[in-house]
Amino acid sequence: MVQERIYNYFERNPQLHVLFIFDKMNMIATELEEATWGEEYVYKVFDGAWFNVKYAIEHDWKDKRIILLFTDGTYPHTEAQMLKFPLLDMLKANMEYKEDDYASFMQQYNLPEKFRLFIKNNVSELLTTKISTMLVGMFTPETFSEDVACRAFISSYMGEKKLLDWEPIIVKMIILGLPTEEKKRNDFFYRLSKNNDAKKAVDTKLTHIFGISYNPNSDLKVKEIAESLKYNSITMLLALSQTDDYKQYKISNSVMLNEQTKVYSYGVNSRQLAEKFTEALKYLGKDIKEEEIISVYGTDATYHYMTEALCWPILKELLEKKLLADPAAVNTKMRELSLKFPFGADIQDVIYYIEQVALYYDKVRSVGTLKLNKPEAYVQLYLDEMYLADMYYRHSLEAYHKLITKDIPIESSLNDVKKQLDLEYAKLTNVMNLEWLTCVKEQDNLFDSLSIGKQEDFFANESEPNNKQVIIISDAFRYEVAQELMQELAKEKHIAKIMAYRAMLPTETKFCKMALLPHRTLELQGTDMAIDGQILTTTEQRTAHVSRYREGAVCVKYEDVMNGDQTSNRELFKRPLVYIFHDVIDENSHPQNPFEIIRSCRTAIDQLAVLVKKLHATWNVSNVIITADHGFIYNDIRFEEKDKHSIKDSYSEIKTRYYITDSYAAQDGIVKFPLEKVSGIKSTAPLYVAVPEGTNRLAAPGGYNFAHGGATLQEMLIPVIKSKTRKTEKTDKVDVALMSHNLNMVSSRLKFNIIQSEAVSMTVTERKIVCQVFSGDTPVTEEKELVLASTDATNLNNRVYEVTLNLNKPVTASVLQLRVYDVDDRLNPLIKETVKNNTMIEQDF
């Protein structure tokens, strides 16, 4: 046993050269008499020859591990004798064998005397491999503490291999309250109860943070802790109401609140623990009812942290009472609420849906009159503002269809809002387009006064015979969808610009798509359109046609490009002109599946963004144009037979949004245009394109929810995006500003919102910033880095960032300063803002 303990000295301290044993009872020498030692050891019973032993230690045994035993008559018995001990210098440089493990442990690590009782009580645990490994490097007078050791014990009881801080310890204790964790919970608290020092440390820490400790007599143990954490996390910023049934949990001490905030923040932000922590807090804190808190403090109160149960009634009230009355305020509230939940939570989809509806109502209410004097004014109104109404409506439907399969507590309110929005949007688009066509009809100019280009002139206007070009025609790629694509293109290094052309009438694929090819004549043959005398139905026919205008030109399908290998595509894009036909929106939308119609727009954006990037970066194409054959109108409502406009006129072809007739006789609700004047299509006899006023649908074969062929702004205004390889890098960065200038440090925590003042675009690039709070010129919080890289020019919410900074040093100053720097310039702050320090308590960091 003694020999084993001697070996432990050397194993625990590889630098140990000599172990001195003062054998007071001459018992150790007796036990070691027959012992055999490894070849790296020297065991020597001192024989009185000081010089010989000292010489041997320094020379003969310099590479050995020496056990030097002094019997009762040869070692110093008093302090005076010790001062004259000939090997005192060697003794101080090495170690003395101690009979007690705790004493030898303290000696080995030179730990202060104040830890004697603690180490005596816990030495066996401290010597275990698991704890000693966990605390490696911490057994020094400067770093060792009872707190560190107790946290190691607790971490070990939790099955951890590394030392935990108190925040994860408390979070894990709360998670142990789940019914599924019963076995682990019982094991942990049993082991904790066997270590008085570790249990005392837990009690002290919990009481310091929550005012109470865990209940050893309860099966759940930490139920009251979870209730306190949930309640105070929600109501931290609220003045206590005497009608609050949970007021016994109310904590006003800023240090305690700061510690609770740290625990809650760790739990909800931990990638590994967040889901279980949220579940445990909900389970253990179920008696703290959110509806009771709302009944006392109301839906407008500033709740510090937000649970889903607390958020649902707030969202319900906003939907039912404020959405139509003040959509801008609702949108701001959605931004605040979104920041309080993890990305990907179901409630985020609901918040996003409400946000998009609010943006829609806010936009349409800001437009003013829809009765304008000139057709050009309608075009400019749509291109500048009203396209956003279509975009927000589409986004709201995209969000709504995600919610259909989910269990949403406020489903009825959401459905009511959806029905109202569908009616409002249908009314808006109908009225706007009634006024638009009325204005065109009154001017009798057949769209000739418009400053934008005509689709039939596209190739003549946009072709560059001396430059290699790729032209992408995306079927039904509406102008507002193209504007969203521009946000994606802004992330890349190429420069893109968007403008609008006026599509031909009818806004139908078989007419409009071929008109984008080079041509001399467009002629009507039956119900089809011939280009230069030929009807081009196949890709091969189209290739043969364009090659007559530019040698080597070719037409290909999008799928063939994306499925092609690197070699074939590099060869393909060496050609002077390549037309790529992309058909996602039109192809997926004509079956009239609402979800597919909306999803196809998103798919088109994603596919085209990738295609343009590959064309520039991989296939060395510097000049890319994206356009569409036509747009579309879409309403997510059921069209009854009574809603379909019956036609008694003669016609050669009829669809839900147009018919072609040889009669110019007036028809109720119908506007007629000479075919040649609005399309450039020649015919052997005078023909007219008849379209319904506004957004009405005709009683004819075809789709009703998703439709095109008519003369609405949404159908006629097609995008033309020109993307070119950048010649120079962007030099300007986006600006940044504070959302509020009334900043307060509360419970050692500063929380504020900053806004990226403009979207990343073709002219400005992203900016990386760093935020930090200073007392004078001394930083008193950690740094927080953010990348401002949003490309959303239409929705302010997507350019707002929440920042939280926690004090990490004791501060007594009443006024601090927030500084925001560009990471590339730490000398000149972008923002310097005063922060009132409401914590005002010296803290022990």
Side-chain angles (χ1 to χ4, degrees):
M1 175 63 113
V2 172
Q3 186 179 32
E4 183 179 332
R5 292 175 65 182
I6 289 172
Y7 279 153
N8 284 338
Y9 270 88
F10 289 99
E11 289 172 3
R12 291 199 304 259
N13 189 350
Q15 304 303 316
L16 180 61
H17 186 207
V18 184
L19 179 64
F20 288 79
I21 302 177
F22 298 130
D23 191 5
K24 300 173 183 178
M25 305 287 295
N26 291 331
M27 294 177 62
I28 296 177
T30 303
E31 184 171 337
L32 297 180
E33 246 175 12
E34 303 297 328
T36 57
W37 302 88
E39 62 179 26
E40 72 270 29
Y41 289 90
V42 171
Y43 172 65
K44 171 69 176 176
V45 178
F46 181 65
D47 57 6
W50 297 102
F51 179 82
N52 293 341
V53 168
K54 190 169 186 178
Y55 182 88
I57 291 173
E58 293 177 345
H59 296 88
D60 300 339
W61 304 332
K62 64 179 181 180
D63 296 323
K64 298 289 187 179
R65 294 178 169 183
I66 305 164
I67 301 101
L68 187 55
L69 185 141
F70 293 83
T71 57
D72 183 52
T74 59
Y75 68 82
H77 291 77
T78 66
E79 184 176 346
Q81 290 174 345
M82 180 62 75
L83 291 174
K84 296 179 180 179
F85 185 53
L87 300 179
L88 181 60
D89 57 336
M90 286 188 177
L91 176 60
K92 288 185 175 181
N94 288 275
M95 297 185 70
E96 176 187 351
Y97 176 85
K98 298 289 187 181
E99 195 64 39
D100 295 323
D101 277 343
Y102 79 88
S104 64
F105 185 91
M106 293 184 67
Q107 177 195 231
Q108 178 182 351
Y109 296 111
N110 194 28
L111 298 178
E113 187 65 23
K114 64 180 180 180
F115 295 127
R116 178 172 293 276
L117 181 59
F118 177 83
I119 291 174
K120 184 176 182 180
N121 292 337
N122 298 286
V123 68
S124 59
E125 220 168 335
L126 289 168
L127 287 171
T128 62
T129 301
K130 189 170 185 179
I131 298 299
S132 59
T133 301
M134 197 179 291
L135 295 179
V136 65
M138 304 191 78
F139 290 125
T140 69
E142 296 76 25
T143 58
F144 184 80
S145 67
E146 292 185 21
D147 177 80
V148 166
C150 286
R151 282 192 287 116
F153 300 151
I154 298 164
S155 302
S156 175
Y157 304 158
M158 288 180 163
E160 296 292 325
K161 293 182 179 179
K162 64 179 182 179
L163 179 67
L164 299 178
D165 290 324
W166 279 112
E167 287 82 10
I169 286 174
I170 296 172
V171 166
K172 283 175 172 285
M173 287 179 68
I174 291 172
I175 290 174
L176 288 175
L178 286 169
T180 55
E181 304 293 315
E182 182 179 7
K183 185 178 184 303
K184 291 182 181 178
R185 178 173 67 248
N186 292 339
D187 180 64
F188 169 76
F189 282 103
Y190 173 78
R191 297 181 68 185
L192 182 64
S193 68
K194 297 301 181 182
N195 187 319
N196 290 331
D197 288 307
K199 183 181 182 306
K200 179 181 176 183
V202 169
D203 288 336
T204 301
K205 178 56 78 171
L206 292 179
T207 304
H208 172 71
I209 297 176
F210 301 99
I212 52 175
S213 184
Y214 73 92
N215 184 353
N217 299 317
S218 166
D219 287 339
L220 296 178
K221 300 291 190 296
V222 292
K223 183 175 186 295
E224 290 80 6
I225 297 296
E227 289 174 342
S228 175
L229 182 59
K230 177 180 176 180
Y231 173 79
N232 284 292
S233 294
I234 292 172
T235 64
M236 188 178 296
L237 301 178
L238 305 179
L240 179 65
S241 169
Q242 290 306 311
T243 62
D244 188 342
D245 291 336
Y246 310 128
K247 55 181 173 286
Q248 70 270 23
Y249 282 123
K250 184 67 174 178
I251 291 174
S252 57
N253 182 288
S254 62
V255 174
M256 295 173 71
L257 290 175
N258 181 52
E259 293 299 315
Q260 284 202 20
T261 297
K262 289 180 181 178
V263 172
Y264 189 95
S265 296
Y266 183 90
V268 296
N269 293 315
S270 169
R271 187 173 59 183
Q272 292 84 12
L273 303 177
E275 186 176 347
K276 278 195 170 184
F277 173 73
T278 303
E279 182 186 355
L281 207 60
K282 180 179 180 180
Y283 173 74
L284 294 170
K286 60 180 178 292
D287 290 340
I288 304 293
K289 302 183 183 299
E290 284 85 351
E291 58 267 29
E292 293 299 322
I293 294 175
I294 285 181
S295 70
V296 174
Y297 297 102
T299 56
D300 291 330
T302 306
Y303 297 108
H304 192 234
Y305 280 105
M306 184 71 65
T307 65
E308 289 195 10
L310 187 68
C311 191
W312 291 124
I314 294 174
L315 293 177
K316 188 173 190 294
E317 181 169 305
L318 290 170
L319 286 170
E320 295 176 356
K321 298 181 179 179
K322 296 185 179 180
L323 182 59
L324 291 175
D326 194 352
V330 171
N331 186 38
T332 300
K333 189 68 174 178
M334 291 307 102
R335 179 174 65 244
E336 296 171 0
L337 293 175
S338 178
L339 294 170
K340 296 181 180 294
F341 294 99
F343 179 80
D346 285 352
I347 200 168
Q348 288 283 21
D349 292 334
V350 177
I351 291 171
Y352 177 74
Y353 170 69
I354 298 172
E355 173 192 83
Q356 294 304 309
V357 176
L359 285 168
Y360 171 83
Y361 284 125
D362 190 39
K363 171 49 62 180
V364 299
R365 279 157 175 67
S366 69
V367 170
T369 182
L370 293 176
K371 198 172 186 66
L372 306 176
N373 295 324
K374 296 181 179 180
E376 176 73 14
Y378 283 95
V379 171
Q380 291 307 315
L381 175 65
Y382 185 82
L383 298 181
D384 292 342
E385 294 188 69
M386 286 306 292
Y387 79 88
L388 288 168
D390 296 324
M391 183 184 289
Y392 293 143
Y393 180 66
R394 174 171 58 83
H395 285 176
S396 70
L397 296 181
E398 190 174 31
Y400 180 80
H401 286 297
K402 281 185 178 180
L403 303 176
I404 291 175
T405 58
K406 296 178 180 179
D407 183 18
I408 305 297
I410 58 171
E411 180 180 357
S412 176
S413 297
L414 290 172
N415 290 339
D416 290 343
V417 166
K418 166 69 166 51
K419 292 175 185 176
Q420 180 71 28
L421 176 66
D422 287 336
L423 293 173
E424 293 267 357
Y425 177 73
K427 180 180 178 181
L428 170 77
T429 53
N430 189 51
V431 169
M432 179 175 66
N433 284 295
L434 278 171
E435 296 293 350
W436 148 249
L437 280 181
T438 299
C439 185
V440 170
K441 193 165 51 173
E442 290 173 350
Q443 298 283 331
D444 195 29
N445 58 18
L446 307 175
F447 313 108
D448 288 339
S449 67
L450 301 182
S451 61
I452 58 177
K454 299 177 182 179
Q455 187 176 53
E456 57 266 36
D457 298 332
F458 167 79
F459 184 80
N461 293 342
E462 305 301 337
S463 67
E464 298 181 17
N466 298 321
N467 294 311
K468 185 168 64 175
Q469 269 187 309
V470 171
I471 297 173
I472 304 166
I473 302 175
S474 184
D475 205 319
F477 193 58
R478 192 162 73 169
Y479 182 83
E480 60 90 3
V481 183
Q483 280 285 4
E484 192 166 351
L485 172 62
M486 286 292 290
Q487 297 177 16
E488 294 300 311
L489 297 181
K491 299 174 183 177
E492 306 301 333
K493 292 185 176 182
H494 43 267
I495 295 176
K497 296 180 180 179
I498 187 170
M499 58 182 179
Y501 266 52
R502 183 222 72 192
M504 299 194 312
L505 286 181
T507 50
E508 181 70 25
T509 300
K510 65 181 179 179
F511 302 120
C512 297
K513 183 177 286 187
M514 292 304 99
L516 293 165
L517 300 180
H519 61 269
R520 295 182 182 86
T521 63
L522 302 175
E523 299 172 286
L524 195 66
Q525 291 187 7
T527 58
D528 291 316
M529 185 188 76
I531 177 169
D532 292 352
Q534 288 188 307
I535 298 174
L536 308 177
T537 56
T538 68
T539 304
E540 291 75 18
Q541 289 172 332
R542 296 167 186 175
T543 293
H545 173 78
V546 297
S547 66
R548 296 188 190 102
Y549 285 82
R550 192 173 301 179
E551 186 179 353
V554 66
C555 295
V556 294
K557 293 180 180 179
Y558 165 82
E559 291 78 12
D560 292 338
V561 172
M562 299 309 288
N563 293 330
D565 58 40
Q566 194 81 324
T567 302
S568 63
N569 279 334
R570 282 180 174 167
E571 287 300 313
L572 170 66
F573 293 111
K574 288 179 181 179
R575 292 174 177 265
L577 175 62
V578 179
Y579 271 90
I580 300 176
F581 293 97
H582 177 258
D583 188 2
V584 170
I585 297 176
D586 199 72
E587 182 180 41
N588 292 344
S589 300
H590 278 301
Q592 304 294 312
N593 181 322
F595 181 72
E596 285 300 326
I597 292 170
I598 298 305
R599 187 167 67 176
S600 65
C601 293
R602 177 70 49 208
T603 301
I605 292 169
D606 295 340
Q607 288 182 348
L608 291 173
V610 171
L611 176 58
V612 171
K613 183 176 181 179
K614 283 181 173 289
L615 285 167
H616 286 314
T618 306
W619 300 320
N620 198 30
V621 178
S622 62
N623 188 344
V624 177
I625 297 178
I626 306 168
T627 189
D629 49 357
H630 54 75
F632 63 86
I633 53 175
Y634 176 71
N635 301 97
D636 196 20
I637 55 178
R638 181 180 176 83
F639 283 86
E640 306 291 347
E641 287 302 317
K642 65 181 178 63
D643 298 323
K644 302 170 186 176
H645 195 105
S646 295
I647 297 299
K648 298 179 181 178
D649 209 356
S650 62
Y651 55 80
S652 59
E653 181 182 24
I654 186 169
K655 295 288 182 67
T656 56
R657 285 290 295 157
Y658 76 93
Y659 65 93
I660 295 178
T661 180
D662 58 3
S663 169
Y664 193 59
Q667 297 288 324
D668 288 341
I670 298 295
V671 182
K672 293 182 178 181
F673 299 97
L675 178 64
E676 290 189 12
K677 297 292 186 181
V678 293
S679 67
I681 301 175
K682 306 297 182 182
S683 60
T684 55
L687 292 176
Y688 301 91
V689 181
V691 297
E693 293 178 337
T695 58
N696 290 345
R697 272 69 156 175
L698 304 179
Y704 288 92
N705 298 80
F706 172 90
H708 56 84
T712 63
L713 293 161
Q714 288 88 345
E715 293 166 287
M716 288 194 73
L717 295 179
I718 59 169
V720 175
I721 296 175
K722 297 180 180 180
S723 181
K724 296 193 175 184
T725 304
R726 182 175 303 281
K727 300 296 184 184
T728 58
E729 292 293 326
K730 300 176 188 178
T731 55
D732 294 331
K733 296 180 180 181
V734 295
D735 287 330
V736 59
L738 287 171
M739 292 287 285
S740 170
H741 296 276
N742 183 24
L743 302 184
N744 292 278
M745 180 76 71
V746 178
S747 300
S748 303
R749 193 168 181 257
L750 175 65
K751 199 173 190 178
F752 60 95
N753 290 336
I754 59 174
I755 182 171
Q756 178 185 319
S757 305
E758 57 206 316
V760 170
S761 68
M762 298 301 163
T763 56
V764 292
T765 187
E766 67 183 35
R767 185 192 293 271
K768 184 182 285 189
I769 61 170
V770 60
C771 310
Q772 195 166 27
V773 175
F774 289 78
S775 178
D777 288 324
T778 303
V780 293
T781 68
E782 77 281 13
E783 288 186 350
K784 182 66 69 69
E785 277 195 5
L786 283 175
V787 179
L788 310 181
S790 174
T791 58
D792 195 332
T794 61
N795 186 359
L796 184 68
N797 288 1
N798 290 334
R799 304 202 309 270
V800 174
Y801 304 81
E802 184 178 77
V803 183
T804 301
L805 298 173
N806 294 301
L807 287 176
N808 57 14
K809 292 181 181 177
V811 175
T812 55
S814 60
V815 177
L816 306 172
Q817 186 179 71
L818 168 67
R819 297 180 192 172
V820 178
Y821 294 92
D822 187 297
V823 293
D824 296 325
D825 182 4
R826 298 298 186 98
L827 188 60
N828 302 295
L830 299 168
I831 295 173
K832 293 171 70 174
E833 188 69 28
T834 298
V835 178
K836 294 179 183 177
N837 182 15
N838 292 337
T839 300
M840 289 298 292
I841 292 179
E842 189 74 29
Q843 301 182 46
D844 181 15
F845 285 92

